[in-house]
Amino acid sequence: GEDVEQSLFLSVREGDSSVINCTYTDSSSTYLYWYKQEPGAGLQLLTYIFSNMDMKQDQRLTVLLNKKDKHLSLRIADTQTGDSAIYFCAAYSSASKIIFGSGTRLSIRP
Amino acid sequence: NAGVTQTPKFRILKIGQSMTLQCTQDMNHNYMYWYRQDPGMGLKLIYYSVGAGITDKGEVPNGYNVSRSTTEDFPLRLELAAPSQTSVYFCASSYAGQEYGYTFGSGTRLTVV
C-alpha cells in the first residue's frame, strides 16, 4: 500500500540550516505536505507543493520535490529554537486520503 | 474563528468503559477524519467521512464507531475500552480539494487503565 517514510530524529545547531527528508511510494500523489507539531498540540500545515513543481519557497522554508525518486525535502534556513517540533511529511494518495509519515523530531543545539 | 474543536482534552477510562470523543468544525468542510497517534509514531487513520451521512473505515477501525449526522460534527465512539486504545486522538477536516491539506484539532489524550 501507499507509504511515507522519514527519519525519526534530526539535531542541528541554532542558526544552521535544517534539512528534513522524506520518501513516498505513490507516484500519483498530486499534493505533498509538510506539517509541524509542537508539544501538546495538533498538526499545523506548514506548506505544500503540487506535483508539477520542483521547488517552493516561503520565507525561511524551501521545499524540494524530486518526482522521479519520489523524494521530498524541507529546508529551514537560520534554524531557531522555536523551530523545535516534530515535522510530518504527507502525501495525497490516489485513494483520496492523505498518508502521513511517522514524523521527524527536530532538536536545536545552542 | 474556532476551526476544529475537540472535547475533552484529557480523559482516563477504565477497561470496558465507553465514551464519545467530540469533534466540531465551523469551516463548512465536507471531509472529516479521525486519527490516533501513538507515542513516537505517526498518524493512523481510524475513520473518515466525505459528507453528512457517509462514513468509511480507515486503517485501524476496530473498537471504534463514528456517525456524521451533520456537516459540522463527527463524533468518535469507543465501546469497551481496552489498554491498546491509549493514545492521542486527532480530528481533522478539509475541503474536497486536497491543496489546502487538513485542519487539525488540538487532540484528546486518552488513557485506558
Side-chain angles (χ1 to χ4, degrees):
Chain A
E2 299 112 351
D3 196 16
V4 175
E5 292 194 354
Q6 51 185 130
S7 54
L8 292 181
F9 300 100
L10 177 66
S11 176
V12 299
R13 197 180 304 275
E14 188 175 2
D16 287 352
S17 291
S18 306
V19 179
I20 303 171
N21 294 301
C22 164
T23 57
Y24 59 98
T25 58
D26 188 349
S27 56
S28 63
S29 291
T30 48
Y31 290 95
L32 298 122
Y33 310 87
W34 285 103
Y35 283 82
K36 179 182 182 182
Q37 185 183 32
E38 298 187 25
L43 278 70
Q44 178 188 9
L45 180 65
L46 268 183
T47 187
Y48 67 90
I49 188 167
F50 189 52
S51 59
N52 69 352
M53 298 167 67
D54 298 325
M55 184 182 87
K56 181 178 181 181
Q57 189 146 5
D58 184 1
Q59 299 182 333
R60 291 192 298 124
L61 304 178
T62 303
V63 178
L64 294 178
L65 174 61
N66 182 328
K67 257 192 98 172
K68 176 175 164 291
D69 294 337
K70 295 194 279 269
H71 182 268
L72 184 73
S73 68
L74 173 70
R75 178 177 179 268
I76 306 172
D78 186 25
T79 309
Q80 303 297 310
T81 54
D83 295 323
S84 290
I86 301 175
Y87 290 82
F88 288 89
C89 174
Y92 175 55
S93 79
S94 53
S96 301
K97 291 187 288 292
I98 294 180
I99 307 297
F100 289 85
S102 298
T104 299
R105 185 179 295 275
L106 176 63
S107 67
I108 315 302
R109 306 190 300 274
Chain B
N1 201 8
V4 178
T5 302
Q6 289 184 240
T7 56
K9 291 195 184 303
F10 304 94
R11 183 72 185 268
I12 298 175
L13 276 185
K14 293 186 178 174
I15 293 172
Q17 286 186 320
S18 300
M19 76 164 293
T20 299
L21 282 66
Q22 301 292 344
C23 176
T24 299
Q25 54 91 8
D26 62 357
M27 298 170 286
N28 205 29
H29 285 171
N30 285 328
Y31 288 29
M32 296 187 75
Y33 313 83
W34 274 107
Y35 286 88
R36 59 177 287 173
Q37 183 182 31
D38 298 326
M41 305 289 284
L43 300 172
K44 288 192 166 61
L45 182 64
I46 305 171
Y47 269 96
Y48 67 102
S49 168
V50 300
I54 306 169
T55 63
D56 213 341
K57 294 178 181 179
E59 300 172 76
V60 291
N62 291 344
Y64 306 95
N65 273 304
V66 292
S67 59
R68 185 93 183 272
S69 55
T70 66
T71 299
E72 295 78 21
D73 299 309
F74 191 40
L76 177 72
R77 178 94 179 145
L78 276 74
E79 307 280 3
L80 298 174
S84 61
Q85 292 178 305
T86 294
S87 190
V88 180
Y89 291 83
F90 288 103
C91 179
S93 69
S94 70
Y95 288 112
Q98 295 301 318
E99 61 267 30
Y100 299 103
Y102 295 173
T103 301
F104 281 84
S106 56
T108 295
R109 186 175 294 274
L110 175 68
T111 303
V112 182
V113 296

